[in-house]
């Protein structure tokens, strides 16, 4: 197997593992346990399913580690196309992962508040639940900010794919469209949150087409043997 093809398939496998694990922490766990606007029910759900909530925290952390590994695998694959763009791609992923790691502290704090540690006895249960919901809300807002980074890193990725000559150009176009779809969701959530669900529904086809296409192509088709020399532009 040609080294470029091998690197593409490794990157695709890592990317697929990220796509398989992220929905658990970002969608399933919050959807199962968190009831918006109801601190009492949310507290009851999390305390009754504390292991699931903790698995969500760990899953988030693992997802960020995998995200970094994906970026490094793609750098190995695409740095020969243009090191500046490849370095920017990795830098944006590292910033996103750092935000993700720090944002997880909000979930840890929420769990502490729901459980009511000894040093929190000065607060009654409704107050603790309200503070915990604030932390969960901050976690959600942190994700809204991070969604912008989930989009921005796809721009240099898309440019590299378009210039690579060993991956189809249309995949790069889809990734750039995916970039703007994520950015639209993030900025709407921060500026006009009432329209977030509408914008998300419009953006989801672009997200599915972009990242899903590149994951499947890397994993199944790999990359054809590149020309002897690729001009760094």
């Amino acid at each position: 197997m040609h080294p470029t093809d091998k690197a593409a398939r490794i990157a695709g496998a890592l990317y697929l593992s990220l796509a398989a694990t992220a929905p658990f922490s970002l969608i399933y766990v919050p959807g199962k346990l968190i009831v918006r606007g109801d601190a009492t029910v949310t507290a009851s759900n999390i305390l009754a399913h504390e292991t699931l909530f903790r698995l969500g925290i760990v899953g988030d952390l693992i997802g960020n580690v995998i995200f970094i590994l994906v970026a490094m695998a793609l750098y190995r694959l695409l740095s020969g196309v243009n090191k500046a763009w490849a370095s920017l791609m990795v830098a944006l992923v590292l910033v996103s992962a750092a935000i993700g790691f720090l944002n997880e502290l909000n979930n840890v704090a929420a769990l502490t508040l729901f459980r009511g540690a000894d040093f929190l006895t000065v607060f009654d249960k409704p107050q603790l639940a309200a503070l915990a919901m604030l932390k969960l809300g901050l976690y959600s807002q942190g994700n809204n900010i991070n969604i912008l980074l989930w989009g921005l890193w796809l721009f240099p990725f898309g440019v590299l794919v378009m210039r690579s000559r060993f991956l189809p150009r249309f995949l790069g176009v889809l990734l750039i469209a995916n970039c703007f779809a994520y950015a639209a969701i993030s900025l709407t959530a921060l500026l006009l949150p009432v329209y977030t669900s509408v914008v998300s529904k419009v953006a989801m086809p672009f997200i599915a087409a972009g990242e899903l296409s590149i994951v499947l192509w890397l994993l199944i088709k790999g990359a054809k043997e590149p020309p002897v020399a690729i001009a760094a532009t």
Side-chain angles (χ1 to χ4, degrees), residues 127-210:
Q127 289 174 323
L128 290 174
L131 288 171
M133 288 297 286
L134 173 62
K135 287 298 182 179
L136 293 177
L138 289 174
Y139 170 77
S140 179
Q141 290 301 312
N143 279 338
N144 287 336
I145 293 171
N146 213 2
I147 288 172
L148 182 61
L149 274 299
W150 297 349
L152 290 180
W153 86 281
L154 295 175
F155 190 88
F157 183 15
V159 171
L160 289 165
V161 169
M162 291 176 65
R163 296 182 178 183
S164 67
R165 298 169 64 189
F166 52 79
L167 291 169
R169 290 177 62 86
F170 79 88
L171 291 175
V173 174
L174 290 176
L175 286 170
I176 291 173
N178 197 153
C179 161
F180 288 109
Y182 272 132
I185 294 173
S186 176
L187 295 176
T188 301
L190 295 172
L191 296 173
L192 299 166
V194 68
Y195 297 109
T196 302
S197 61
V198 175
V199 173
S200 296
K201 289 178 181 178
V202 174
M204 285 310 294
F206 295 96
I207 293 173

Side-chain angles (χ1 to χ4, degrees), residues 47-203:
L47 292 176
H49 302 90
E50 185 175 330
T51 300
L52 178 62
F53 189 75
R54 289 183 180 276
L55 285 173
I57 293 173
V58 173
D60 256 344
L61 298 177
I62 292 173
N64 282 303
V65 172
I66 296 174
F67 195 16
I68 294 172
L69 294 177
V70 168
M72 298 308 298
L74 290 172
Y75 181 86
R76 181 183 177 190
L77 174 66
L78 297 165
S79 60
V81 178
N82 186 290
K83 284 191 175 182
W85 281 107
S87 297
L88 176 60
M89 175 184 68
V90 173
L92 290 169
V93 169
L94 292 176
V95 172
S96 176
I99 292 173
F101 285 128
L102 290 174
N103 194 35
E104 210 55 48
L105 289 173
N106 285 309
N107 278 336
V108 174
L111 181 58
T112 301
L113 289 165
F114 280 133
R115 296 185 72 213
D118 291 342
F119 62 88
L120 294 171
T121 52
V122 294
F123 299 101
D124 57 31
K125 285 188 175 181
Q127 289 174 323
L128 290 174
L131 288 171
M133 288 297 286
L134 173 62
K135 287 298 182 179
L136 293 177
L138 289 174
Y139 170 77
S140 179
Q141 290 301 312
N143 279 338
N144 287 336
I145 293 171
N146 213 2
I147 288 172
L148 182 61
L149 274 299
W150 297 349
L152 290 180
W153 86 281
L154 295 175
F155 190 88
F157 183 15
V159 171
L160 289 165
V161 169
M162 291 176 65
R163 296 182 178 183
S164 67
R165 298 169 64 189
F166 52 79
L167 291 169
R169 290 177 62 86
F170 79 88
L171 291 175
V173 174
L174 290 176
L175 286 170
I176 291 173
N178 197 153
C179 161
F180 288 109
Y182 272 132
I185 294 173
S186 176
L187 295 176
T188 301
L190 295 172
L191 296 173
L192 299 166
V194 68
Y195 297 109
T196 302
S197 61
V198 175
V199 173
S200 296
K201 289 178 181 178
V202 174

